[in-house]
Amino acid sequence: MNPWWCRWPSLAADTTSDEDLSVSLQKANSMDPQIARELDRPRFYRVGEAAAMLNLSSMTLYRAIQAGDFPAVRVRNRIIVPARAIDDIEQAAVTSNSVVDTADFTTMTPPAET
């Protein structure tokens, strides 16, 4: 039986040929620089990372999230901040040329029941 990492194509060493790698590199090199930057960015940030980006303390951001004033995702006891939420807040501030309230970017819609 193969080790566990051989079952995952991205982790198995022998699943990608040199030809496939060169094709992928050619596509990446011909890609629009804006799209390439977007692909390199993380989709989620830890609260500490998001707080540092916003020049806030982590505790301030945790309190805003707890109060429902800042968009975040909770998975069990882990809280992460979507990069898109920060981008949307920034874009709204720049577009409106005024102060935006982060509470306007949160929704308290419960998940659909199955």
Side-chain angles (χ1 to χ4, degrees):
M1 185 170 165
N2 289 337
W4 66 269
W5 50 267
C6 285
R7 292 183 223 142
W8 297 95
S10 62
L11 298 177
D14 60 344
T15 59
T16 306
S17 69
D18 290 338
E19 217 171 90
D20 292 338
L21 286 175
S22 66
V23 169
S24 296
L25 286 173
Q26 287 172 357
K27 286 181 183 177
N29 290 337
S30 66
M31 193 180 303
D32 180 20
Q34 176 72 20
I35 294 171
R37 275 194 304 276
E38 290 295 320
L39 291 175
D40 287 341
R41 291 183 53 211
R43 293 187 61 192
F44 295 93
Y45 296 109
R46 294 186 306 259
V47 173
E49 292 172 327
M53 291 170 64
L54 299 169
N55 200 22
L56 300 170
S57 74
S58 296
M59 189 50 67
T60 299
L61 190 53
Y62 273 116
R63 287 183 187 127
I65 292 168
Q66 182 67 29
D69 293 337
F70 197 89
V73 176
R74 177 187 301 274
V75 179
R76 292 193 169 230
N77 63 346
R78 173 90 191 248
I79 297 175
I80 51 178
V81 177
R84 195 167 88 195
I86 293 175
D87 293 343
D88 291 348
I89 291 167
E90 176 188 8
Q91 185 63 37
V94 170
T95 302
S96 69
N97 200 25
S98 65
V99 176
V100 296
D101 189 357
T102 59
D104 295 339
F105 292 87
T106 60
T107 58
M108 299 304 266
T109 307
E113 294 183 25
T114 55

